[in-house]
């Protein structure tokens, strides 16, 4: 296991801090959007009344033929009609349909994937082949209750970073299995049986695990992107 240079260590620390900043801020963004959304669901009459003032929302329809698929907008002879009159009374019932939690989970999974890939390029640059992600040896259908399977996941977790599987705790391997399971179900089956806070916690824990795996002399990873009211984050 080659020793990291100071340049590599600095790059790993910077990329980790940058990702944590994005993730922690996104959690607030998610929470704010969810609060506004849920408030609109509860106060649906107020929302409907507001929409009746200027009718800012439009309906979308499709009229496709074999000959009009070249262009999108119906104004250009295309098949998408995106400026249809819409009764504001039809809007509140659609609020429940937006997959806030699943879409947010999919987004931070992409951030985690990119983070891991970037670190692999720093510490093990010849490992990944084209279209291959750092987590490709950990599968969502692995049995987290089987010790041999979890050990295989530990090895699959660590190998891209040129580290032994013993450096990955069993709980961390199980977290990555769960991340892959939830992500695959959403992307391939359209279902989501987790919550964003749970998925977020698993992703945050995985980031920390990767960091400590690559930086064994580090004892703490701490970051808070907002004003420190209680002097906890110095």
């Amino acid at each position: 296991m080659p020793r990291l240079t100071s340049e590599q260590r600095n790059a790993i620390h910077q990329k980790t801090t940058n990702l944590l900043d994005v993730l922690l801020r996104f959690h607030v963004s998610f929470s704010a959007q969810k609060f506004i959304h849920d408030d609109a669901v509860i106060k649906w009459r107020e929302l409907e009344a507001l929409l009746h003032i200027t009718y800012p929302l439009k309906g979308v329809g499709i009229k496709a033929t074999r000959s009009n698929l070249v262009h999108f907008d119906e104004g250009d002879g295309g098949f998408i009609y995106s400026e249809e009159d819409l009764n504001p009374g039809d809007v509140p019932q659609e609020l429940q349909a937006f997959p806030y939690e699943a879409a947010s989970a999919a987004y931070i999974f992409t951030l985690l994937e990119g983070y891991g890939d970037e670190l692999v390029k720093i510490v093990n640059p010849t490992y990944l082949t084209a279209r291959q992600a750092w987590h490709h040896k950990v599968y969502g259908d692995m049995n987290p209750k089987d010790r041999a399977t979890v050990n295989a996941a530990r090895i699959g977790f660590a190998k891209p970073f040129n580290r032994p599987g013993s450096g990955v705790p069993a709980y961390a391997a199980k977290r990555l299995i769960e991340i892959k399971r939830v992500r695959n179900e959403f992307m391939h089956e359209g279902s989501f049986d987790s919550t964003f806070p749970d998925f977020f916690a698993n992703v945050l824990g995985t980031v920390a695990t990767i960091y400590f795996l690559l930086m064994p002399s580090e004892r703490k990873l701490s970051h808070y992107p907002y004003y420190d009211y209680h002097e906890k984050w110095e």
Side-chain angles (χ1 to χ4, degrees):
M1 185 169 60
R3 192 178 186 86
L4 296 179
T5 66
S6 59
E7 184 178 357
Q8 287 174 314
R9 290 175 59 83
N10 289 338
I12 291 168
H13 181 78
Q14 188 61 57
K15 288 183 181 298
T16 302
T17 300
N18 289 347
L19 176 63
L20 290 177
D21 197 79
V22 172
L23 287 172
L24 297 174
R25 290 179 182 278
F26 182 75
H27 192 282
V28 173
S29 176
F30 168 84
S31 299
Q33 294 288 347
K34 190 73 165 54
F35 174 81
I36 294 170
H37 172 270
D38 292 348
D39 187 60
V41 171
I42 295 172
K43 300 175 182 177
W44 62 269
R45 289 185 177 85
E46 294 179 19
L47 173 63
E48 184 176 334
L50 177 64
L51 296 177
H52 270 291
I53 297 175
T54 60
Y55 296 89
L57 302 184
K58 299 295 182 179
V60 179
I62 176 174
K63 282 188 177 183
T65 67
R66 293 180 182 274
S67 61
N68 73 347
L69 297 179
V70 175
H71 301 290
F72 295 123
D73 193 84
E74 55 93 11
D76 298 323
F79 59 94
I80 298 177
Y81 290 67
S82 57
E83 293 292 327
E84 299 304 296
D85 290 336
L86 179 66
N87 178 7
D90 290 331
V91 174
Q93 64 187 351
E94 306 300 344
L95 290 176
Q96 302 281 15
F98 192 86
Y100 267 102
E101 301 210 41
S104 297
Y107 171 67
I108 65 172
F109 174 85
T110 301
L111 295 179
L112 173 64
E113 181 175 85
Y115 166 75
D117 288 349
E118 288 181 357
L119 297 197
V120 171
K121 291 176 183 177
I122 293 173
V123 301
N124 196 7
T126 62
Y127 178 79
L128 292 178
T129 61
R131 300 182 182 180
Q132 197 174 64
W134 70 270
H135 51 76
H136 72 281
K137 288 293 186 181
V138 180
Y139 310 107
D141 60 356
M142 284 178 153
N143 183 359
K145 296 181 180 180
D146 180 75
R147 179 177 295 182
T149 301
V150 172
N151 284 336
R154 294 171 69 191
I155 294 171
F157 188 128
K159 188 175 181 180
F161 303 104
N162 204 18
R163 295 294 188 268
S166 58
V168 176
Y171 65 78
K174 292 178 182 179
R175 283 175 178 166
L176 185 54
I177 291 172
E178 176 66 3
I179 287 172
K180 294 289 294 283
R181 183 193 70 78
V182 172
R183 182 263 182 186
N184 290 344
E185 282 194 356
F186 174 59
M187 297 302 292
H188 302 305
E189 300 175 23
S191 62
F192 187 75
D193 64 356
S194 183
T195 67
F196 177 75
D198 286 346
F199 194 89
F200 177 85
N202 281 329
V203 167
L204 214 58
T206 301
V207 171
T209 297
I210 294 173
Y211 180 79
F212 290 127
L213 178 67
L214 292 174
M215 311 275 271
S217 63
E218 295 292 321
R219 293 292 177 264
K220 183 173 69 172
L221 178 61
S222 178
H223 186 71
Y224 182 69
Y226 300 103
Y227 183 77
D228 182 7
Y229 285 98
H230 305 290
E231 298 183 352
K232 293 171 59 177
W233 305 99
E234 292 182 341

XYZ file of all heavy atoms in Angstrom, residues 84-135:
413
model
N -50.799 25.137 -22.458
C -52.243 24.893 -22.409
C -52.861 25.521 -21.164
O -52.266 25.520 -20.081
C -52.518 23.389 -22.429
C -52.018 22.687 -23.691
C -52.582 23.314 -24.946
O -53.825 23.251 -25.133
O -51.801 23.893 -25.727
N -54.052 26.059 -21.331
C -54.764 26.625 -20.186
C -55.001 25.537 -19.145
O -55.379 24.405 -19.467
C -56.099 27.220 -20.634
C -55.913 28.485 -21.455
O -54.861 29.139 -21.304
O -56.810 28.814 -22.260
N -54.779 25.910 -17.886
C -54.863 24.944 -16.791
C -55.698 25.518 -15.663
O -55.450 26.631 -15.193
C -53.459 24.605 -16.286
C -53.355 23.628 -15.119
C -53.825 22.232 -15.531
C -51.915 23.577 -14.611
N -56.687 24.778 -15.227
C -57.517 25.177 -14.097
C -56.689 25.086 -12.817
O -56.180 24.014 -12.478
C -58.732 24.256 -14.006
C -59.619 24.593 -12.814
O -59.415 25.586 -12.123
N -60.598 23.741 -12.571
N -56.505 26.188 -12.076
C -55.742 26.147 -10.829
C -56.250 25.093 -9.852
O -55.486 24.584 -9.031
C -55.912 27.557 -10.258
C -56.083 28.412 -11.473
C -56.922 27.573 -12.407
N -57.507 24.734 -9.954
C -58.054 23.705 -9.067
C -57.476 22.330 -9.312
O -57.592 21.440 -8.454
N -56.838 22.149 -10.473
C -56.224 20.859 -10.769
C -54.797 20.737 -10.231
O -54.214 19.654 -10.256
C -56.192 20.620 -12.285
C -57.573 20.389 -12.864
O -58.435 19.879 -12.124
O -57.782 20.723 -14.050
N -54.236 21.845 -9.757
C -52.830 21.847 -9.355
C -52.581 21.212 -7.985
O -51.675 20.378 -7.855
C -52.258 23.284 -9.396
C -50.835 23.309 -8.845
C -52.283 23.817 -10.818
N -53.305 21.578 -6.931
C -52.973 21.045 -5.603
C -52.900 19.526 -5.529
O -52.038 18.973 -4.828
C -54.107 21.595 -4.718
C -54.492 22.876 -5.385
C -54.398 22.568 -6.850
N -53.765 18.834 -6.255
C -53.756 17.372 -6.184
C -52.488 16.768 -6.781
O -52.161 15.603 -6.505
C -54.974 16.817 -6.919
C -54.998 17.115 -8.410
C -56.293 16.693 -9.068
O -57.114 16.026 -8.464
N -56.480 17.097 -10.318
N -51.764 17.540 -7.606
C -50.553 17.028 -8.227
C -49.310 17.212 -7.353
O -48.252 16.652 -7.651
C -50.315 17.718 -9.584
C -51.481 17.650 -10.549
C -51.881 16.223 -10.913
O -51.084 15.296 -10.669
O -52.996 16.037 -11.435
N -49.432 17.985 -6.291
C -48.273 18.233 -5.438
C -47.708 16.941 -4.847
O -46.501 16.794 -4.675
C -48.640 19.201 -4.313
C -48.905 20.658 -4.728
C -49.363 21.458 -3.517
C -47.661 21.282 -5.336
N -48.596 16.022 -4.526
C -48.169 14.776 -3.888
C -47.361 13.882 -4.822
O -46.674 12.967 -4.379
C -49.402 14.002 -3.387
C -50.266 14.770 -2.404
C -49.681 14.778 -1.003
O -48.521 14.467 -0.801
N -50.502 15.122 -0.019
N -47.442 14.147 -6.118
C -46.825 13.240 -7.083
C -45.333 13.476 -7.273
O -44.631 12.607 -7.806
C -47.529 13.364 -8.446
N -44.826 14.641 -6.849
C -43.419 14.921 -7.109
C -42.526 14.127 -6.159
O -42.679 14.196 -4.944
C -43.124 16.415 -6.964
C -41.763 16.783 -7.491
C -41.589 17.066 -8.832
C -40.656 16.791 -6.652
C -40.336 17.378 -9.330
C -39.404 17.108 -7.137
C -39.237 17.400 -8.484
N -41.556 13.363 -6.691
C -40.709 12.500 -5.851
C -39.545 13.255 -5.215
O -38.372 13.034 -5.561
C -40.219 11.441 -6.841
C -40.113 12.183 -8.140
C -41.266 13.162 -8.135
N -39.840 14.162 -4.293
C -38.795 14.969 -3.679
C -37.695 14.101 -3.064
O -36.498 14.330 -3.286
C -39.393 15.850 -2.565
C -39.809 17.223 -3.025
C -41.142 17.515 -3.268
C -38.874 18.224 -3.209
C -41.530 18.771 -3.688
C -39.256 19.494 -3.625
C -40.586 19.758 -3.863
O -40.966 20.999 -4.287
N -38.090 13.120 -2.278
C -37.095 12.327 -1.555
C -36.278 11.458 -2.498
O -35.050 11.394 -2.402
C -37.785 11.489 -0.476
C -38.543 12.330 0.531
C -38.603 11.692 1.907
O -37.603 11.124 2.358
O -39.666 11.781 2.527
N -36.945 10.782 -3.419
C -36.236 9.896 -4.338
C -35.314 10.683 -5.263
O -34.164 10.286 -5.504
C -37.245 9.095 -5.158
N -35.793 11.791 -5.801
C -34.972 12.595 -6.704
C -33.768 13.178 -5.971
O -32.655 13.222 -6.520
C -35.807 13.717 -7.312
N -33.969 13.600 -4.737
C -32.862 14.150 -3.951
C -31.843 13.067 -3.621
O -30.631 13.311 -3.650
C -33.399 14.789 -2.668
O -34.255 15.877 -2.966
N -32.327 11.874 -3.316
C -31.418 10.757 -3.042
C -30.601 10.414 -4.279
O -29.393 10.158 -4.197
C -32.216 9.545 -2.569
N -31.245 10.402 -5.436
C -30.534 10.101 -6.675
C -29.443 11.138 -6.940
O -28.344 10.803 -7.412
C -31.511 10.050 -7.850
N -29.728 12.385 -6.624
C -28.755 13.459 -6.842
C -27.528 13.272 -5.959
O -26.387 13.354 -6.440
C -29.411 14.809 -6.570
C -28.444 15.963 -6.561
C -27.781 16.355 -7.726
C -28.184 16.670 -5.381
C -26.887 17.414 -7.718
C -27.294 17.730 -5.370
C -26.639 18.100 -6.539
O -25.747 19.136 -6.520
N -27.722 13.022 -4.677
C -26.547 12.913 -3.802
C -25.800 11.601 -4.050
O -24.601 11.514 -3.772
C -26.902 13.091 -2.307
C -27.811 11.971 -1.800
C -27.525 14.450 -2.068
C -28.009 12.018 -0.275
N -26.495 10.575 -4.585
C -25.780 9.371 -5.005
C -24.786 9.723 -6.113
O -23.643 9.252 -6.118
C -26.745 8.302 -5.505
C -26.047 7.092 -6.085
C -25.621 6.067 -5.266
C -25.802 7.001 -7.443
C -24.961 4.961 -5.785
C -25.143 5.908 -7.984
C -24.714 4.882 -7.147
N -25.213 10.556 -7.052
C -24.333 10.980 -8.136
C -23.135 11.742 -7.592
O -22.002 11.564 -8.071
C -25.108 11.862 -9.138
O -26.212 11.115 -9.657
C -24.217 12.294 -10.295
N -23.350 12.577 -6.576
C -22.244 13.301 -5.955
C -21.268 12.331 -5.292
O -20.042 12.488 -5.414
C -22.773 14.294 -4.922
C -23.638 15.445 -5.436
C -24.100 16.309 -4.261
C -22.882 16.291 -6.448
N -21.792 11.334 -4.586
C -20.950 10.338 -3.934
C -20.142 9.557 -4.968
O -18.949 9.302 -4.780
C -21.813 9.380 -3.107
C -21.092 8.179 -2.492
C -20.059 8.638 -1.469
C -22.103 7.227 -1.852
N -20.787 9.179 -6.046
C -20.106 8.433 -7.098
C -18.957 9.246 -7.694
O -17.840 8.737 -7.858
C -21.101 8.053 -8.190
C -20.503 7.242 -9.323
C -21.565 6.787 -10.312
O -21.911 7.561 -11.220
O -22.051 5.657 -10.150
N -19.229 10.511 -8.006
C -18.191 11.357 -8.582
C -17.039 11.581 -7.618
O -15.863 11.581 -8.023
N -17.353 11.741 -6.338
C -16.323 11.925 -5.310
C -15.401 10.716 -5.244
O -14.171 10.849 -5.279
C -17.003 12.155 -3.962
C -16.114 12.036 -2.751
C -15.211 13.043 -2.419
C -16.212 10.921 -1.917
C -14.414 12.939 -1.291
C -15.416 10.809 -0.783
C -14.509 11.815 -0.473
O -13.721 11.710 0.644
N -15.985 9.540 -5.170
C -15.180 8.329 -5.105
C -14.326 8.136 -6.341
O -13.141 7.773 -6.259
N -14.908 8.389 -7.496
C -14.160 8.242 -8.753
C -12.962 9.195 -8.788
O -11.869 8.821 -9.242
C -15.068 8.521 -9.951
C -16.088 7.420 -10.189
O -15.977 6.345 -9.564
O -17.005 7.635 -11.005
N -13.163 10.432 -8.322
C -12.076 11.400 -8.322
C -10.941 10.967 -7.388
O -9.760 11.124 -7.723
C -12.592 12.771 -7.901
C -13.464 13.454 -8.950
C -13.937 14.813 -8.493
O -13.633 15.191 -7.335
O -14.609 15.508 -9.276
N -11.287 10.405 -6.245
C -10.254 9.972 -5.316
C -9.512 8.746 -5.829
O -8.310 8.603 -5.606
C -10.854 9.693 -3.933
C -11.480 10.885 -3.206
C -11.651 10.577 -1.729
C -10.644 12.140 -3.373
N -10.222 7.852 -6.511
C -9.556 6.697 -7.119
C -8.524 7.174 -8.136
O -7.414 6.631 -8.228
C -10.578 5.750 -7.784
C -9.858 4.679 -8.611
C -11.447 5.079 -6.731
N -8.860 8.190 -8.907
C -7.923 8.720 -9.897
C -6.674 9.294 -9.229
O -5.595 9.307 -9.826
C -8.602 9.797 -10.741
C -9.679 9.254 -11.668
C -10.394 10.374 -12.407
C -11.507 9.824 -13.274
N -12.277 10.915 -13.957
N -6.817 9.747 -7.986
C -5.670 10.300 -7.258
C -4.779 9.191 -6.708
O -3.554 9.252 -6.817
C -6.153 11.201 -6.102
C -6.835 12.453 -6.653
C -4.991 11.598 -5.188
C -7.490 13.316 -5.592
N -5.386 8.153 -6.125
C -4.585 7.147 -5.412
C -4.353 5.867 -6.205
O -3.449 5.088 -5.885
C -5.248 6.793 -4.059
C -5.394 8.036 -3.193
C -6.614 6.134 -4.261
N -5.170 5.634 -7.232
C -5.055 4.391 -8.000
C -5.493 4.658 -9.445
O -6.492 4.109 -9.921
C -5.940 3.314 -7.356
C -5.600 1.921 -7.817
O -4.622 1.704 -8.535
N -6.415 0.936 -7.423
N -4.775 5.531 -10.143
C -5.255 6.094 -11.410
C -5.494 5.107 -12.549
O -6.234 5.423 -13.475
C -4.155 7.100 -11.785
C -2.949 6.661 -11.027
C -3.464 6.069 -9.750
N -4.914 3.932 -12.506
C -5.101 2.977 -13.606
C -6.185 1.947 -13.317
O -6.423 1.049 -14.131
C -3.781 2.233 -13.912
O -3.378 1.486 -12.754
C -2.678 3.217 -14.285
N -6.860 2.080 -12.184
C -7.794 1.028 -11.768
C -9.089 1.022 -12.570
O -9.517 -0.006 -13.094
C -8.116 1.161 -10.282
C -9.114 0.129 -9.797
C -8.713 -1.170 -9.519
C -10.465 0.450 -9.637
C -9.618 -2.127 -9.091
C -11.381 -0.491 -9.219
C -10.957 -1.778 -8.948
O -11.863 -2.722 -8.545
N -9.739 2.167 -12.667
C -11.049 2.218 -13.302
C -10.936 2.205 -14.822
O -10.094 2.880 -15.399
C -11.808 3.470 -12.864
C -12.251 3.538 -11.399
C -12.934 4.865 -11.120
C -13.171 2.383 -11.056
N -11.810 1.423 -15.444
C -11.901 1.429 -16.896
C -13.034 2.357 -17.314
O -13.748 2.907 -16.472
C -12.166 0.013 -17.435
O -13.419 -0.471 -16.905
C -11.056 -0.945 -17.027
N -13.193 2.552 -18.602
C -14.245 3.437 -19.094
C -15.615 2.980 -18.610
O -15.920 1.785 -18.582
C -14.209 3.482 -20.620
N -16.449 3.935 -18.204
C -17.822 3.695 -17.749
C -17.883 2.821 -16.492
O -18.880 2.138 -16.252
C -18.661 3.067 -18.861
C -18.750 3.931 -20.112
C -19.635 3.297 -21.160
N -19.688 4.116 -22.380
C -20.381 3.796 -23.457
N -21.091 2.672 -23.472
N -20.384 4.573 -24.520
N -16.840 2.843 -15.707
C -16.806 2.050 -14.480
C -16.730 2.994 -13.295
O -15.962 3.951 -13.295
C -15.586 1.117 -14.501
C -15.644 -0.012 -13.505
C -14.471 -0.962 -13.691
O -13.320 -0.589 -13.518
N -14.765 -2.198 -14.059
N -17.546 2.742 -12.263
C -17.557 3.570 -11.066
C -16.832 2.845 -9.935
O -16.713 1.617 -9.935
C -18.989 3.893 -10.655
N -16.387 3.594 -8.965
C -15.578 3.030 -7.890
C -16.324 1.945 -7.103
O -15.708 1.029 -6.557
C -15.122 4.136 -6.936
C -16.220 4.737 -6.098
C -16.992 5.797 -6.402
C -16.664 4.276 -4.797
N -17.894 6.058 -5.390
C -17.710 5.147 -4.398
C -16.276 3.250 -3.940
C -18.375 4.999 -3.180
C -16.926 3.097 -2.727
C -17.963 3.966 -2.354
N -17.649 2.014 -7.066
C -18.442 1.086 -6.259
C -18.929 -0.126 -7.059
O -19.845 -0.831 -6.617
C -19.649 1.821 -5.669
C -20.442 2.579 -6.701
N -21.292 1.957 -7.587
C -20.486 3.900 -7.003
C -21.846 2.860 -8.380
N -21.363 4.058 -8.053
